[in-house]
Amino acid sequence: MKKILSSLLLTSAAIMFYGQAQSLVTENFNALTNGNLATDPTGATAGQNSWYIYQGLAADYQIVAIDASHGKSLNITTGAGAPPASGANTNSKFAYKSITTTATATNNLVRATMEIHTGSATGKGTVGLSLFSSTALIGGIFYDYETKKIIGQARVKVVANPTQIGTLAVSLGSETFPANSWVTVTYIYNKTTGQHSYQYKNNTVNSNYSYGGSTTYAVFSGDVAAEFDAVNTTLANNTVANTAGVDNIQVEFTNTATLGLDTPSKEAKAYLMISPNPTTDVLNIKTDSKINSVSVIDLTGRKVNVRLNSNKVDVASLPAGTYIINIETQDGITTAKFIKK
């Protein structure tokens, strides 16, 4: 089972793909037996229809009938706690399948679609899908319980320090989805270009975005999908065991990309920023999330001392130069570059 790296935040633009496809995973759970999806939460033994589960108990992964229109679905329940200060977040739960793709220059798009039932959506966490290569997370798309919004994921590296690699949390617009509703999410990775594309929709919303890197963060091309995960995870300060449903999973490998937008293209905005940059003494952090902590490192990777006061970071004592700041909020960790004059 792969482990998700630290989270960052950035922006995206809109696009959607269609085309001929090689089916990799197709699952609507209707042929499965109600009850445990699998019985081995260590991920060592497959359960029904070759599904594996990781962390928690077998009772956390249940085949149920959420509503008549969907037939059987999979309910995944998190633990009632928040991530620990260090180590793995054992409150998060993973249901996953291995997949096999034949990557070529002309067969280079992996497209994963899933319906999410948001459940009570009262805690702090996310539910959605991720794709992994044999060594690392590629990306994914998630519903956030607290904000009721959809966010994207993309594995990136910091341009100024390519050894610093993490998972970018991509802001995908202002649309919200209430508790106990269904939303269809789609994630597409282009192996040739490294571009990550996202779509989400219900009866009234159909939004599309893409992210292909920036001057701050570079994407990875060449990743080959080897695993699909349905993930239900907790975030900082969570105290609720959240149950969410997933259904109608389709993962496919395709070689045809066609621009086809059902709604006008939109550009999402990053919801965290620092200023002024360059700065002489103070960095101001603007965000709609509570700031839990910050850390600053220089370009050699050495951590330097700074002081956080509300949303202001005192950097007056730092020598002139270029630095990386990591800002932890309830939405994850944002990494940004700044210059101290």
Side-chain angles (χ1 to χ4, degrees):
M1 179 67 204
K2 320 301 185 302
K3 296 297 186 290
I4 297 176
L5 302 177
S6 61
S7 295
L8 319 174
L9 306 173
L10 209 63
T11 63
S12 60
I15 197 169
M16 179 177 174
F17 295 107
Y18 300 87
Q20 300 298 318
Q22 169 200 349
S23 181
L24 303 173
V25 177
T26 301
E27 182 66 80
N28 64 12
F29 301 103
N30 289 333
L32 278 60
T33 302
N34 282 351
N36 295 339
L37 175 67
T39 58
D40 181 3
T42 70
T45 306
Q48 296 194 64
N49 201 20
S50 298
W51 281 97
Y52 292 81
I53 60 175
Y54 183 72
Q55 298 195 151
L57 304 172
D60 297 325
Y61 308 85
Q62 293 293 298
I63 305 298
V64 299
I66 294 176
D67 57 37
S69 63
H70 284 79
K72 295 179 181 178
S73 304
L74 171 64
N75 265 348
I76 304 176
T77 303
T78 69
S86 62
N89 181 8
T90 57
N91 290 300
S92 297
K93 307 298 167 62
F94 305 81
Y96 64 100
K97 267 194 171 187
S98 297
I99 59 179
T100 301
T101 59
T102 304
T104 68
T106 57
N107 197 16
N108 61 345
L109 301 180
V110 178
R111 180 179 189 268
T113 297
M114 184 173 78
E115 286 189 70
I116 297 171
H117 185 259
T118 62
S120 60
T122 55
K124 299 178 187 293
T126 61
V127 57
L129 66 88
S130 292
L131 291 178
F132 289 83
S133 71
S134 61
T135 59
L137 173 76
I138 297 174
I141 186 168
F142 285 79
Y143 171 81
D144 186 288
Y145 292 123
E146 185 173 31
T147 66
K148 309 297 187 288
K149 297 178 181 179
I150 305 297
I151 58 174
Q153 281 185 340
R155 185 169 73 102
V156 298
K157 55 189 172 184
V158 177
V159 172
N161 185 6
T163 61
Q164 187 173 3
I165 298 171
T167 304
L168 191 72
V170 184
S171 177
L172 300 181
S174 60
E175 296 87 358
T176 59
F177 300 88
N180 297 310
S181 62
W182 287 96
V183 54
T184 300
V185 296
T186 298
Y187 166 70
I188 303 158
Y189 171 71
N190 186 317
K191 172 183 174 292
T192 302
T193 65
Q195 180 172 280
H196 304 264
S197 299
Y198 313 91
Q199 179 190 32
Y200 55 90
K201 63 181 179 179
N202 65 8
N203 293 332
T204 59
V205 173
N206 194 337
S207 295
N208 305 269
Y209 301 91
S210 70
Y211 177 69
S214 69
T215 56
T216 303
Y217 307 110
V219 295
F220 288 85
S221 61
D223 286 338
V224 177
E227 181 180 301
F228 168 87
D229 288 52
V231 183
N232 198 358
T233 191
T234 65
L235 295 176
N237 301 315
N238 179 70
T239 59
V240 175
N242 259 306
T243 298
V246 300
D247 204 354
N248 294 323
I249 297 167
Q250 178 70 48
V251 185
E252 54 194 10
F253 203 37
T254 183
N255 59 10
T256 303
T258 304
L259 185 66
L261 298 176
D262 296 326
T263 56
S265 296
K266 295 178 290 184
E267 184 174 346
K269 302 298 182 184
Y271 49 97
L272 188 149
M273 64 179 294
I274 59 173
S275 66
N277 191 9
T279 184
T280 56
D281 50 10
V282 172
L283 273 179
N284 298 299
I285 303 172
K286 183 178 180 181
T287 177
D288 54 7
S289 298
K290 180 180 181 293
I291 301 170
N292 297 326
S293 65
V294 300
S295 64
V296 173
I297 60 174
D298 62 24
L299 292 187
T300 69
R302 182 177 62 91
K303 186 175 180 179
V304 296
N305 292 325
V306 297
R307 186 169 66 252
L308 174 67
N309 181 14
S310 184
N311 68 328
K312 299 180 182 296
V313 183
D314 183 354
V315 297
S317 63
L318 297 184
T322 301
Y323 296 86
I324 300 294
I325 183 170
N326 299 300
I327 305 164
E328 182 185 353
T329 71
Q330 64 186 18
D331 300 307
I333 300 174
T334 299
T335 298
K337 179 175 66 174
F338 72 93
I339 296 172
K340 165 66 191 308
K341 291 194 213 176

